[in-house]
Short mmCIF file of all heavy atoms in Angstrom, two decimals:
data_model
loop_
_atom_site.label_atom_id
_atom_site.label_comp_id
_atom_site.label_asym_id
_atom_site.label_seq_id
_atom_site.Cartn_x
_atom_site.Cartn_y
_atom_site.Cartn_z
N VAL A 941 -30.63 64.24 -27.85
CA VAL A 941 -31.71 65.01 -27.24
C VAL A 941 -32.08 66.17 -28.15
O VAL A 941 -31.23 66.76 -28.82
CB VAL A 941 -31.30 65.51 -25.83
CG1 VAL A 941 -30.11 66.45 -25.88
CG2 VAL A 941 -32.48 66.18 -25.13
N LEU A 942 -33.37 66.49 -28.16
CA LEU A 942 -33.92 67.64 -28.86
C LEU A 942 -34.89 68.31 -27.89
O LEU A 942 -35.35 67.70 -26.93
CB LEU A 942 -34.66 67.23 -30.15
CG LEU A 942 -33.88 66.38 -31.17
CD1 LEU A 942 -34.06 64.89 -30.88
CD2 LEU A 942 -34.34 66.69 -32.58
N ARG A 943 -35.24 69.58 -28.15
CA ARG A 943 -36.18 70.25 -27.25
C ARG A 943 -37.09 71.20 -28.01
O ARG A 943 -36.82 71.60 -29.14
CB ARG A 943 -35.44 71.00 -26.15
CG ARG A 943 -34.73 72.26 -26.60
CD ARG A 943 -34.04 72.96 -25.43
NE ARG A 943 -33.43 74.22 -25.87
CZ ARG A 943 -32.71 75.03 -25.10
NH1 ARG A 943 -32.48 74.68 -23.82
NH2 ARG A 943 -32.22 76.16 -25.57
N SER A 944 -38.20 71.54 -27.33
CA SER A 944 -39.19 72.44 -27.91
C SER A 944 -39.95 73.13 -26.79
O SER A 944 -40.05 72.60 -25.68
CB SER A 944 -40.16 71.66 -28.79
OG SER A 944 -41.22 72.48 -29.25
N ARG A 945 -40.51 74.29 -27.09
CA ARG A 945 -41.39 74.96 -26.13
C ARG A 945 -42.81 74.38 -26.17
O ARG A 945 -43.63 74.67 -25.30
CB ARG A 945 -41.45 76.45 -26.42
CG ARG A 945 -40.20 77.22 -26.01
CD ARG A 945 -40.03 77.24 -24.51
NE ARG A 945 -38.92 78.09 -24.08
CZ ARG A 945 -38.52 78.22 -22.83
NH1 ARG A 945 -39.13 77.54 -21.86
NH2 ARG A 945 -37.52 79.00 -22.51
N HIS A 946 -43.09 73.57 -27.17
CA HIS A 946 -44.42 73.00 -27.33
C HIS A 946 -44.30 71.48 -27.45
O HIS A 946 -43.38 70.98 -28.10
CB HIS A 946 -45.11 73.58 -28.57
CG HIS A 946 -45.17 75.07 -28.57
ND1 HIS A 946 -46.07 75.78 -27.83
CD2 HIS A 946 -44.39 76.00 -29.21
CE1 HIS A 946 -45.89 77.08 -28.00
NE2 HIS A 946 -44.87 77.24 -28.84
N VAL A 947 -45.25 70.77 -26.87
CA VAL A 947 -45.15 69.31 -26.85
C VAL A 947 -45.16 68.72 -28.25
O VAL A 947 -44.50 67.70 -28.51
CB VAL A 947 -46.28 68.71 -25.99
CG1 VAL A 947 -47.65 68.90 -26.63
CG2 VAL A 947 -46.02 67.23 -25.70
N TRP A 948 -45.85 69.37 -29.19
CA TRP A 948 -45.91 68.86 -30.56
C TRP A 948 -44.73 69.33 -31.42
O TRP A 948 -44.65 68.98 -32.59
CB TRP A 948 -47.22 69.28 -31.23
CG TRP A 948 -48.41 68.54 -30.70
CD1 TRP A 948 -49.35 69.01 -29.83
CD2 TRP A 948 -48.79 67.19 -31.00
NE1 TRP A 948 -50.29 68.04 -29.57
CE2 TRP A 948 -49.98 66.92 -30.28
CE3 TRP A 948 -48.25 66.19 -31.80
CZ2 TRP A 948 -50.63 65.68 -30.33
CZ3 TRP A 948 -48.90 64.97 -31.87
CH2 TRP A 948 -50.06 64.72 -31.14
N GLY A 949 -43.82 70.11 -30.82
CA GLY A 949 -42.68 70.57 -31.57
C GLY A 949 -42.94 71.88 -32.28
O GLY A 949 -43.93 72.56 -32.00
N PRO A 950 -42.03 72.30 -33.17
CA PRO A 950 -40.89 71.52 -33.69
C PRO A 950 -39.77 71.38 -32.66
O PRO A 950 -39.57 72.27 -31.83
CB PRO A 950 -40.43 72.34 -34.90
CG PRO A 950 -40.84 73.74 -34.57
CD PRO A 950 -42.14 73.62 -33.81
N TYR A 951 -39.06 70.26 -32.75
CA TYR A 951 -37.98 69.95 -31.82
C TYR A 951 -36.62 70.28 -32.44
O TYR A 951 -36.31 69.85 -33.54
CB TYR A 951 -38.04 68.47 -31.40
CG TYR A 951 -39.10 68.21 -30.37
CD1 TYR A 951 -40.42 67.95 -30.75
CD2 TYR A 951 -38.79 68.24 -29.01
CE1 TYR A 951 -41.40 67.73 -29.79
CE2 TYR A 951 -39.77 68.02 -28.05
CZ TYR A 951 -41.06 67.77 -28.45
OH TYR A 951 -42.04 67.56 -27.49
N GLU A 952 -35.85 71.06 -31.68
CA GLU A 952 -34.52 71.51 -32.12
C GLU A 952 -33.45 70.61 -31.49
O GLU A 952 -33.46 70.38 -30.28
CB GLU A 952 -34.30 72.95 -31.66
CG GLU A 952 -32.87 73.44 -31.73
CD GLU A 952 -32.61 74.65 -30.83
OE1 GLU A 952 -33.53 75.06 -30.10
OE2 GLU A 952 -31.47 75.15 -30.87
N PRO A 953 -32.53 70.08 -32.29
CA PRO A 953 -31.51 69.20 -31.71
C PRO A 953 -30.43 69.99 -30.97
O PRO A 953 -30.12 71.14 -31.32
CB PRO A 953 -30.92 68.48 -32.93
CG PRO A 953 -31.16 69.43 -34.07
CD PRO A 953 -32.45 70.13 -33.76
N TYR A 954 -29.88 69.36 -29.95
CA TYR A 954 -28.75 69.91 -29.20
C TYR A 954 -27.51 69.90 -30.09
O TYR A 954 -27.18 68.88 -30.72
CB TYR A 954 -28.53 69.06 -27.96
CG TYR A 954 -27.32 69.39 -27.13
CD1 TYR A 954 -26.98 70.70 -26.80
CD2 TYR A 954 -26.52 68.37 -26.62
CE1 TYR A 954 -25.89 70.99 -26.02
CE2 TYR A 954 -25.42 68.65 -25.83
CZ TYR A 954 -25.11 69.96 -25.53
OH TYR A 954 -24.00 70.24 -24.75
N ALA A 955 -26.80 71.02 -30.13
CA ALA A 955 -25.61 71.13 -30.98
C ALA A 955 -24.51 70.19 -30.54
O ALA A 955 -23.64 69.82 -31.34
CB ALA A 955 -25.11 72.57 -30.98
N GLY A 956 -24.53 69.78 -29.25
CA GLY A 956 -23.49 68.90 -28.74
C GLY A 956 -23.82 67.42 -28.80
O GLY A 956 -23.11 66.61 -28.20
N ASN A 957 -24.89 67.05 -29.51
CA ASN A 957 -25.25 65.63 -29.62
C ASN A 957 -24.10 64.82 -30.20
O ASN A 957 -23.32 65.32 -31.01
CB ASN A 957 -26.48 65.46 -30.54
CG ASN A 957 -27.80 65.64 -29.79
OD1 ASN A 957 -27.94 65.18 -28.66
ND2 ASN A 957 -28.75 66.31 -30.42
N PRO A 958 -23.98 63.56 -29.76
CA PRO A 958 -24.82 62.83 -28.81
C PRO A 958 -24.46 63.18 -27.37
O PRO A 958 -23.32 63.58 -27.08
CB PRO A 958 -24.52 61.38 -29.11
CG PRO A 958 -23.11 61.38 -29.60
CD PRO A 958 -22.95 62.66 -30.37
N ILE A 959 -25.41 63.00 -26.47
CA ILE A 959 -25.17 63.27 -25.05
C ILE A 959 -24.61 62.05 -24.33
O ILE A 959 -24.25 62.13 -23.17
CB ILE A 959 -26.44 63.78 -24.35
CG1 ILE A 959 -27.57 62.75 -24.42
CG2 ILE A 959 -26.88 65.11 -24.98
CD1 ILE A 959 -28.79 63.11 -23.56
N LEU A 960 -24.55 60.91 -25.03
CA LEU A 960 -23.94 59.70 -24.50
C LEU A 960 -23.57 58.80 -25.67
O LEU A 960 -24.42 58.50 -26.51
CB LEU A 960 -24.91 58.95 -23.58
CG LEU A 960 -24.48 57.54 -23.12
CD1 LEU A 960 -23.27 57.62 -22.20
CD2 LEU A 960 -25.63 56.81 -22.44
N THR A 961 -22.32 58.39 -25.74
CA THR A 961 -21.87 57.36 -26.67
C THR A 961 -20.44 56.99 -26.31
O THR A 961 -19.76 57.73 -25.58
CB THR A 961 -21.95 57.81 -28.14
OG1 THR A 961 -21.76 56.68 -29.00
CG2 THR A 961 -20.88 58.86 -28.46
N GLN A 962 -20.00 55.84 -26.79
CA GLN A 962 -18.60 55.44 -26.64
C GLN A 962 -18.03 55.03 -27.99
O GLN A 962 -16.93 54.49 -28.07
CB GLN A 962 -18.48 54.26 -25.66
CG GLN A 962 -19.01 54.54 -24.27
CD GLN A 962 -18.07 55.38 -23.42
OE1 GLN A 962 -17.19 54.88 -22.73
NE2 GLN A 962 -18.26 56.71 -23.48
N ARG A 963 -18.74 55.30 -29.07
CA ARG A 963 -18.37 54.80 -30.39
C ARG A 963 -17.12 55.44 -30.96
O ARG A 963 -16.48 54.87 -31.84
CB ARG A 963 -19.54 54.98 -31.36
CG ARG A 963 -19.89 56.43 -31.65
CD ARG A 963 -21.20 56.52 -32.42
NE ARG A 963 -21.61 57.90 -32.67
CZ ARG A 963 -22.85 58.26 -32.95
NH1 ARG A 963 -23.81 57.34 -33.00
NH2 ARG A 963 -23.15 59.52 -33.17
N HIS A 964 -16.74 56.61 -30.46
CA HIS A 964 -15.60 57.34 -31.01
C HIS A 964 -14.30 57.04 -30.28
O HIS A 964 -13.25 57.58 -30.64
CB HIS A 964 -15.88 58.83 -30.93
CG HIS A 964 -16.14 59.32 -29.53
ND1 HIS A 964 -17.20 58.88 -28.77
CD2 HIS A 964 -15.46 60.20 -28.74
CE1 HIS A 964 -17.17 59.47 -27.60
NE2 HIS A 964 -16.13 60.27 -27.55
N LEU A 965 -14.34 56.20 -29.25
CA LEU A 965 -13.17 55.94 -28.43
C LEU A 965 -12.32 54.82 -29.03
O LEU A 965 -12.82 53.97 -29.78
CB LEU A 965 -13.60 55.57 -27.01
CG LEU A 965 -14.40 56.64 -26.27
CD1 LEU A 965 -14.80 56.14 -24.90
CD2 LEU A 965 -13.62 57.94 -26.17
N PRO A 966 -11.02 54.77 -28.71
CA PRO A 966 -10.15 53.73 -29.27
C PRO A 966 -10.63 52.33 -28.89
O PRO A 966 -10.99 52.07 -27.73
CB PRO A 966 -8.78 54.04 -28.64
CG PRO A 966 -8.86 55.47 -28.24
CD PRO A 966 -10.28 55.74 -27.88
N GLU A 967 -10.63 51.43 -29.85
CA GLU A 967 -11.09 50.08 -29.59
C GLU A 967 -10.18 49.34 -28.62
O GLU A 967 -10.62 48.42 -27.93
CB GLU A 967 -11.20 49.29 -30.90
CG GLU A 967 -12.29 49.80 -31.82
CD GLU A 967 -12.41 48.96 -33.08
OE1 GLU A 967 -11.71 47.93 -33.17
OE2 GLU A 967 -13.20 49.32 -33.98
N ASP A 968 -8.89 49.73 -28.57
CA ASP A 968 -7.94 49.01 -27.73
C ASP A 968 -7.79 49.62 -26.34
O ASP A 968 -6.83 49.32 -25.63
CB ASP A 968 -6.58 48.94 -28.42
CG ASP A 968 -6.00 50.33 -28.71
OD1 ASP A 968 -6.71 51.33 -28.49
OD2 ASP A 968 -4.83 50.39 -29.16
N ARG A 969 -8.72 50.47 -25.92
CA ARG A 969 -8.63 51.06 -24.59
C ARG A 969 -8.83 49.96 -23.54
O ARG A 969 -9.52 48.96 -23.80
CB ARG A 969 -9.66 52.17 -24.40
CG ARG A 969 -11.11 51.71 -24.43
CD ARG A 969 -12.04 52.91 -24.51
NE ARG A 969 -13.45 52.56 -24.41
CZ ARG A 969 -14.20 52.16 -25.42
NH1 ARG A 969 -13.67 52.01 -26.63
NH2 ARG A 969 -15.48 51.89 -25.24
N PRO A 970 -8.26 50.12 -22.35
CA PRO A 970 -8.38 49.05 -21.34
C PRO A 970 -9.79 48.99 -20.76
O PRO A 970 -10.46 50.02 -20.59
CB PRO A 970 -7.36 49.47 -20.27
CG PRO A 970 -7.20 50.94 -20.45
CD PRO A 970 -7.37 51.21 -21.91
N ASP A 971 -10.24 47.78 -20.46
CA ASP A 971 -11.53 47.52 -19.80
C ASP A 971 -12.67 48.33 -20.42
O ASP A 971 -13.37 49.09 -19.74
CB ASP A 971 -11.42 47.86 -18.31
CG ASP A 971 -10.29 47.12 -17.62
OD1 ASP A 971 -9.97 46.01 -18.07
OD2 ASP A 971 -9.74 47.66 -16.65
N PRO A 972 -12.90 48.18 -21.70
CA PRO A 972 -13.89 49.05 -22.35
C PRO A 972 -15.32 48.73 -21.94
O PRO A 972 -15.68 47.59 -21.65
CB PRO A 972 -13.67 48.75 -23.84
CG PRO A 972 -13.18 47.34 -23.86
CD PRO A 972 -12.32 47.20 -22.63
N VAL A 973 -16.13 49.77 -21.91
CA VAL A 973 -17.58 49.66 -21.87
C VAL A 973 -18.07 50.21 -23.20
O VAL A 973 -17.69 51.31 -23.60
CB VAL A 973 -18.18 50.44 -20.69
CG1 VAL A 973 -19.70 50.40 -20.74
CG2 VAL A 973 -17.68 49.89 -19.37
#
C-alpha cells in the first residue's frame, strides 16, 4: 500500500509493507496457506 493527499500522487509507500504475504514463513509449517 502507498498513499497520497492527491489522487495523482506522489504516493508514499507504507514503511511496514507488505501488508499481506506468507512468503517469509517456514515452508514446513502445518496446513500452510
Side-chain angles (χ1 to χ4, degrees):
V941 62
L942 305 90
R943 72 179 183 183
S944 173
R945 285 294 187 184
H946 305 282
V947 68
W948 288 103
Y951 282 86
E952 165 200 4
Y954 174 45
N957 275 320
I959 61 171
L960 171 67
T961 192
Q962 301 283 272
R963 66 190 177 201
H964 58 299
L965 299 178
E967 293 183 5
D968 59 353
R969 66 191 186 276
D971 305 331
V973 175

